[in-house]
């Protein structure tokens, strides 16, 4: 997949950071020695971690050069490392592993979450949030358009769509035996966006990338036109003209 665009991602920074804030308040660690922000992106989630544990060594890891560049600019005093979490081990004395909106992209993430929990010290916490929205119109329509245009075969072959998440019980069974406490919950956000075009802009920075990346510019434009028309029908304006982007997310706080 092409690199992420920090600029596109940050167009909705406040809304995208909200789940990090909601996850952070549920982490029962008063003093942390080392904290790692896995999939730190442009540093928006890392900044929250630095504020919560100002005495800790806070590190961000990410695979995206553009995201890391932005994160280093934002938080010059923190360490940011280019690393794929699938091949990464937390350093010793890491008390908190924080991962906001990344593990849905990591193949076989259940095994990865087990491995990372296993590497924590006693009392250490793995805190994870993932979008659980593949059945929402915003995603269903991406797949519908992919299957109905001239790009059908190309996307069937090349679009690396993310896997559906396991049910909460899957996380409970996988992580429960490793934990002294396991908290799993869903929150459904209703993000207020200016209009249906803003819904398309939102997913251009995330979920739409696997569908757009394989296409050449003219097909990409055509795909977006087709997708935008369907999104406008699925996300009608409210009384004030704004639209609500319904967005279910799953949260997990695993205490070793
Ligand atoms: C949706 S952004 C989340 C950014 C930030 N954590 C936040 O809360 O907004 C997902 C980030 O995960 C990174 N990422 C995806 N797969 C990864 C992997 N296997 N290892 C490390 N980072 C990864 C992407 O590069 C991207 O910056």
């Amino acid at each position: 997949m092409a690199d992420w665009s920090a600029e596109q991602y940050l167009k909705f920074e406040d809304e995208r950071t909200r789940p990090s804030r909601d996850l952070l308040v549920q982490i029962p660690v008063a003093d942390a020695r080392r904290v790692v922000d896995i999939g730190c992106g442009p540093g928006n989630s890392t900044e929250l971690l630095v504020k919560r544990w100002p005495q800790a060594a806070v590190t961000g890891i990410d695979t995206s050069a553009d995201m890391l560049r932005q994160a280093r600019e934002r938080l010059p005093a923190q360490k940011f490392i280019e690393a794929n979490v699938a091949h990464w081990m937390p350093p010793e004395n890491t008390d908190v592993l924080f991962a906001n909106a990344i593990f849905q992209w990591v193949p076989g993430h259940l095994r990865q979450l087990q491995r990372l929990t296993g590497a924590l010290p006693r009392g250490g916490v793995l805190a994870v949030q993932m979008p659980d929205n593949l059945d929402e119109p915003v995603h269903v329509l991406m797949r519908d358009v992919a299957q109905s245009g001239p790009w059908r075969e190309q996307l069937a072959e090349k679009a690396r769509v993310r896997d559906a998440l396991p049910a909460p019980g899957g996380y409970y069974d996988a992580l429960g035996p490793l934990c002294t406490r396991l908290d799993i919950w869903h929150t459904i956000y209703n993000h207020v966006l200016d209009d249906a075009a803003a819904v398309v802009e939102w997913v251009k920075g995330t979920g739409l990338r696997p569908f757009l990346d394989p296409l050449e510019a003219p097909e990409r434009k055509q795909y977006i036109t087709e997708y935008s028309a369907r999104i406008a029908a699925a996300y009608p304006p409210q009384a004030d003209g704004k639209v609500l982007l319904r967005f279910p997310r799953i949260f997990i706080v695993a205490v070793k």
Side-chain angles (χ1 to χ4, degrees):
M1 219 159 50
D3 195 9
W4 288 70
S5 161
E7 189 189 344
Q8 183 71 27
Y9 185 74
L10 287 171
K11 280 184 186 170
F12 301 94
E13 175 172 352
D14 188 37
E15 290 85 352
R16 293 202 203 275
T17 309
R18 168 76 188 274
S20 277
R21 293 194 287 267
D22 293 349
L23 179 61
L24 193 57
V25 293
Q26 299 301 334
I27 301 178
V29 174
D31 297 310
R33 291 164 292 180
R34 222 171 251 289
V35 176
V36 181
D37 188 12
I38 301 172
C40 59
N44 51 324
S45 44
T46 323
E47 190 169 286
L48 298 179
L49 303 179
V50 173
K51 283 191 184 136
R52 164 87 189 261
W53 293 287
Q55 310 302 331
V58 180
T59 306
I61 73 162
D62 205 289
T63 43
S64 160
D66 194 47
M67 290 291 203
L68 287 166
R69 180 191 52 73
Q70 185 77 30
R72 289 182 183 119
E73 228 169 76
R74 181 177 191 139
L75 296 168
Q78 308 307 316
K79 196 161 133 194
F80 291 97
I81 300 168
E82 189 167 336
N84 183 336
V85 68
H87 313 296
W88 174 85
M89 271 300 278
E92 246 179 71
N93 300 330
T94 298
D95 293 314
V96 178
L97 291 172
F98 188 87
N100 187 60
I102 160 186
F103 274 105
Q104 74 278 11
W105 296 107
V106 179
H109 72 261
L110 212 49
R111 278 196 316 280
Q112 294 293 341
L113 298 181
Q114 285 177 310
R115 181 179 68 81
L116 293 169
T117 305
L120 286 170
R122 208 176 150 70
V125 169
L126 171 73
V128 174
Q129 181 281 128
M130 289 170 282
D132 196 1
N133 62 343
L134 290 183
D135 293 333
E136 292 297 310
V138 74
H139 273 275
V140 172
L141 295 174
M142 271 177 216
R143 300 193 291 270
D144 286 355
V145 175
Q147 284 161 13
S148 62
W151 40 69
R152 190 178 161 181
E153 277 173 26
Q154 195 185 353
L155 290 184
E157 200 182 310
K158 294 211 178 122
R160 293 234 234 94
V161 187
R162 59 185 220 235
D163 295 335
L165 299 184
Y171 294 103
Y172 185 84
D173 288 345
L175 299 176
L178 304 171
C179 297
T180 55
R181 179 167 172 252
L182 184 55
D183 187 8
I184 305 172
W185 74 99
H186 275 91
T187 298
I188 300 176
Y189 297 91
N190 282 281
H191 296 299
V192 180
L193 302 188
D194 282 344
D195 48 25
V199 175
V200 177
E201 278 308 302
W202 176 295
V203 287
K204 268 192 202 167
T206 49
L208 206 51
R209 299 173 57 246
F211 295 96
L212 296 182
D213 286 350
L215 302 178
E216 297 297 329
E219 285 81 33
R220 193 178 293 188
K221 200 169 158 206
Q222 205 186 332
Y223 180 107
I224 291 173
T225 304
E226 179 60 32
Y227 178 66
S228 300
R230 295 191 193 201
I231 286 290
Y235 293 88
Q238 297 300 127
D240 65 355
K242 306 264 187 193
V243 302
L244 294 179
L245 175 60
R246 202 185 106 100
F247 204 134
R249 296 176 181 269
I250 186 168
F251 295 77
I252 302 168
V253 173
V255 183
K256 178 93 176 282

